[in-house]
Amino acid sequence: MEARARAPGKIILAGEHAVVHGSTAMAAAIDLYTYVSLRFPTPSDNDDTLKLYLKDMDLEFSWPVGKIMEAIPELGSFSASSPTSCSLETTKAIAALVDEQNIPEAKIGLASGISAFLWLYISIHGCKPAKATVNSELPLGSGLGSSAAFCVALSAALLALSDSVKLDFGHQGWQIFGDSELDLVNKWAFEGEKIIHGKPSGIDNTVSTYGNMIKFKSGELTCIKTNMPLKMLITNTKVGRNTKALVAGVSERTARHPTAMAAVFNAVDSISNEMATIIQSPVSDDLAITEKEEKLEELMEMNQGLLQCMGVSHASIETVLRTTLKFKLSSKLTGAGGGGCVLTLLPTLLSGTVVDKVIADLESCGFQCLIAGIGGKGMEVSFSGTS
Ligand SMILES: Nc1ncnc2c1ncn2[C@@H]1O[C@H](COP(=O)(O)OP(=O)(O)OP(=O)(O)O)[C@@H](O)[C@H]1O
Ligand SMILES: C[C@@](O)(CCO)CC(=O)[O-]
Ligand SMILES: [Mg+2]
């Protein structure tokens, strides 16, 4: 039997980085997914390796299970139902197993994702042979939560074939986990994110697991209900960056200027809370929507200014801001910044012709634009084949 899981990416409407330091943030799932399928070999396959196949890049990594057993001294002491952090000793052993795979230099960023895979796999299934296949609709390392979607889909596929969750294997199509199983997926995915990000707040894995639009502060989520049609243009600057380094940079700035940065984080907290209040309040007519959109635009601009204070903007992001401002549209970076993706609010009454012109202008700078559905589904699983 094969388990297949999918988990969405996300946009952060307000509060990235500050959320790592305890401020409120707002995020929404988007309808672009990472897929992970997992299969155990049958005895006739005579296969005793653990394989990870990254389909989009056509890269396969593989480890004889005997080698994993030798390398990981703590193996056997993990439990699928109690997520734990990877110890320093196991982190080193996993790094050595990843090192041996000779990842192409241009793809070296994958090393942290592969380490997260090994940690989640051995924690949940020990050293049983298996093949995991991954593909994604999300750009990697661009601020749309590819690392969290990867960790959530992986945790879900691993748990789906473990004794820790009870599922209907005969059900056709996508199904969702019960609440306690979703919590378990979210906790494991957070452990994977720690390996990739260093110090994640948990917002990305949380919104990818549960979907919808959420307000998030210090590990606690509140689901946001809205009847406001929110349309965001996402522009990918295609400037590569790494969330771990950007998060560490903000922490270093905070250590240098603790009082000033506390004021910045406090301002971001107010912006996220005000945004949540506006989005949640009922809308009656076009005039009310326009008023709300104008307030949201102002809050996005204020948040972008504070992200600049944190040192996570980038020349490419500034180019997107200038380009959209020519059309009186407001934008902010989304995710970790340093390049990656930018959000632009598209007001309800904005004509299609203007949207086409903004997109043409942005694409003429070499950027890539997309409009994703927001606030949709969280992670889901499906099964194929017989047990
Ligand atoms: N589909 C995937 N397959 C393998 N590794 C992945 C995949 N998706 C993400 N990763 C891992 O996550 C890393 C990117 O994570 P990073 O947190 O830097 O960016 P992001 O999650 O896309 O953006 P943000 O955290 O700002 O939302 C990749 O370099 C890789 O190690
Ligand atoms: C930059 C950050 O705030 C969001 C990345 O999508 C990091 C985090 O919250 O873990
Ligand atoms: Mg990430």
Side-chain angles (χ1 to χ4, degrees):
M1 182 167 42
E2 183 173 273
R4 188 162 160 78
R6 68 172 195 183
K10 59 91 229 265
I11 51 172
I12 297 195
L13 296 161
E16 50 277 271
H17 287 290
V19 68
V20 176
H21 301 268
S23 301
T24 308
M26 290 269 300
I30 56 173
D31 58 357
L32 295 173
Y33 298 87
T34 293
Y35 297 82
V36 175
S37 52
L38 182 72
R39 196 175 67 79
F40 296 123
T42 58
S44 64
D45 290 334
N46 203 14
D47 188 350
D48 63 354
T49 58
L50 172 62
K51 294 191 178 73
L52 172 63
Y53 178 50
L54 305 181
K55 207 171 167 184
D56 305 312
M57 293 158 248
D58 194 23
L59 286 175
E60 183 168 281
F61 306 98
S62 123
W63 302 264
V65 289
K67 186 153 206 172
I68 298 176
M69 224 175 318
E70 267 170 36
I72 314 285
E74 294 174 326
L75 207 76
S77 64
F78 310 128
S79 154
S81 55
S82 10
T84 39
S85 301
C86 191
S87 69
L88 195 60
E89 194 184 11
T90 301
T91 304
K92 282 188 191 151
I94 287 178
L97 288 170
V98 174
D99 242 21
E100 286 165 13
Q101 297 290 311
N102 298 320
I103 303 168
E105 196 47 46
K107 305 269 182 213
I108 204 67
L110 291 173
S112 59
I114 301 168
S115 299
F117 163 76
L118 280 175
W119 168 242
L120 293 173
Y121 187 87
I122 61 171
S123 301
I124 296 172
H125 286 289
C127 59
K128 210 165 152 182
K131 179 169 180 176
T133 302
V134 182
N135 68 294
S136 184
E137 296 159 356
L138 292 160
L140 267 56
S142 301
L144 299 184
S146 72
S147 61
F150 173 68
C151 292
V152 171
L154 187 56
S155 304
L158 294 172
L159 288 166
L161 292 186
S162 77
D163 298 331
S164 300
V165 300
K166 298 274 164 287
L167 287 160
D168 177 4
F169 296 125
H171 183 284
Q172 296 284 308
W174 294 111
Q175 56 180 307
I176 54 168
F177 282 3
D179 288 348
S180 63
E181 284 99 353
L182 280 176
D183 293 348
L184 191 58
V185 168
N186 192 34
K187 285 185 182 140
W188 272 122
F190 182 57
E191 293 305 328
E193 274 276 84
K194 277 192 195 162
I195 293 178
I196 301 175
H197 275 201
K199 195 191 166 198
S201 64
I203 189 171
D204 291 3
N205 50 280
T206 300
V207 73
S208 181
T209 302
Y210 302 99
N212 298 301
M213 188 181 289
I214 64 164
K215 193 163 97 162
F216 185 93
K217 185 184 168 87
S218 306
E220 294 297 319
L221 86 151
T222 316
C223 196
I224 300 287
K225 297 264 174 282
T226 178
N227 70 344
M228 184 177 177
L230 254 193
K231 204 165 152 192
M232 292 283 175
L233 174 67
I234 301 174
T235 303
N236 187 354
T237 62
K238 295 198 268 180
V239 173
R241 57 354 137 256
N242 149 338
T243 299
K244 186 175 185 174
L246 287 151
V247 168
V250 175
S251 293
E252 284 158 21
R253 188 171 282 205
T254 306
R256 285 193 297 274
H257 311 286
T259 316
M261 289 296 278
V264 169
F265 297 145
N266 208 11
V268 173
D269 186 72
S270 305
I271 288 172
S272 300
N273 282 314
E274 194 179 330
M275 199 178 254
T277 307
I278 295 168
I279 291 177
Q280 284 183 106
S281 67
V283 278
S284 43
D285 53 23
D286 278 356
L287 185 65
I289 292 187
T290 302
E291 263 176 35
K292 282 170 168 237
E293 284 170 345
E294 284 169 0
K295 283 188 187 159
L296 289 181
E297 285 177 322
E298 199 163 22
L299 291 170
M300 283 170 67
E301 284 174 13
M302 288 160 70
N303 193 175
Q304 173 62 29
L306 294 166
L307 285 158
Q308 276 155 7
C309 283
M310 293 178 216
V312 294
S313 194
H314 184 270
S316 61
I317 295 173
E318 307 292 329
T319 304
V320 177
L321 301 183
R322 270 198 315 277
T323 309
T324 59
L325 200 59
K326 281 197 281 178
F327 298 88
K328 299 194 167 51
L329 297 175
S330 304
S331 308
K332 69 173 275 291
L333 68 84
T334 190
C341 287
V342 180
L343 289 184
T344 305
L345 182 77
L346 298 177
T348 326
L349 299 179
L350 189 70
S351 79
T353 328
V354 176
V355 176
D356 291 346
K357 277 192 189 150
V358 185
I359 293 177
D361 255 24
L362 289 165
E363 295 197 331
S364 73
C365 301
F367 304 144
Q368 207 167 32
C369 294
L370 67 108
I371 297 175
I374 65 173
K377 289 177 173 177
M379 79 45 35
E380 294 175 302
V381 285
S382 71
F383 296 96
S384 60
T386 46
S387 48

